[in-house]
Amino acid sequence: MPERPLPEPGADVRADVRADVRADARDDSDGEPGGLDDAVVRLVADREATTERVAALQRGFDVVVQAADGANADDEHDPEGSTIAYERSQLSALAAAAQGHLDEVEQALARVFEGTYGRCVVCGVTIAPGRLEARPTARTCIDHADRSRRR
């Protein structure tokens, strides 16, 4: 299967999914909920929301940095609230977490278009539909996810 670019945010991917996903991938051609189409729609919506969140967090970070330029350098003793360093650190951590999630979503969409979505990357078995519904970006079956948490 030739590699295709991932759909742009806001794109209607239902027809592309049915046309492009290999025959051995789980198919939702009967339209029942919880199938591959629904997973892709959820992933694309998640990507859009997370992209917006990353952008909003970056804007917030920029505002804090700009505010620090004209602020008193000794904000550690400000009785009115948190320090600028704390705000900057918190926004940075939230942006990094959101970017990490966005990366997971992008990888899941890539697996859809490669035809490997819904298969454990460790053992190759089909990932339980309930796990994929709860965590559409899941890369492993529950057995291998459990093992990685114990380490």
Side-chain angles (χ1 to χ4, degrees), residues 21-146:
V21 176
R22 292 188 333 204
D24 64 333
R26 294 179 311 111
D27 186 21
D28 184 31
S29 57
D30 61 0
E32 288 188 25
L36 186 60
D37 284 354
D38 290 340
V40 172
V41 169
R42 283 193 323 267
L43 286 166
V44 170
D46 191 2
R47 177 177 63 180
E48 290 175 5
T50 305
T51 299
E52 290 173 11
R53 184 168 181 226
V54 168
L57 289 165
Q58 185 59 51
R59 285 190 302 272
F61 183 85
D62 293 344
V63 166
V64 169
V65 169
Q66 288 174 355
D69 286 343
N72 179 1
D74 183 19
D75 71 340
E76 295 297 323
H77 299 94
D78 181 2
E80 293 183 25
S82 61
T83 66
I84 293 172
Y86 172 81
E87 294 290 331
R88 201 172 45 233
S89 176
Q90 185 177 32
L91 286 169
S92 180
L94 289 170
Q99 184 62 53
H101 179 70
L102 183 59
D103 293 344
E104 288 180 1
V105 170
E106 292 288 352
Q107 291 169 8
L109 284 168
R111 288 192 304 277
V112 167
F113 287 96
E114 291 168 357
T116 60
Y117 180 80
R119 298 222 173 261
C120 177
V121 298
V122 176
C123 65
V125 303
T126 300
I127 298 171
R131 175 163 168 73
L132 288 173
E133 188 166 336
R135 185 180 164 105
T137 60
R139 302 177 52 213
T140 59
C141 64
I142 196 72
D143 289 338
H144 288 106
D146 188 42

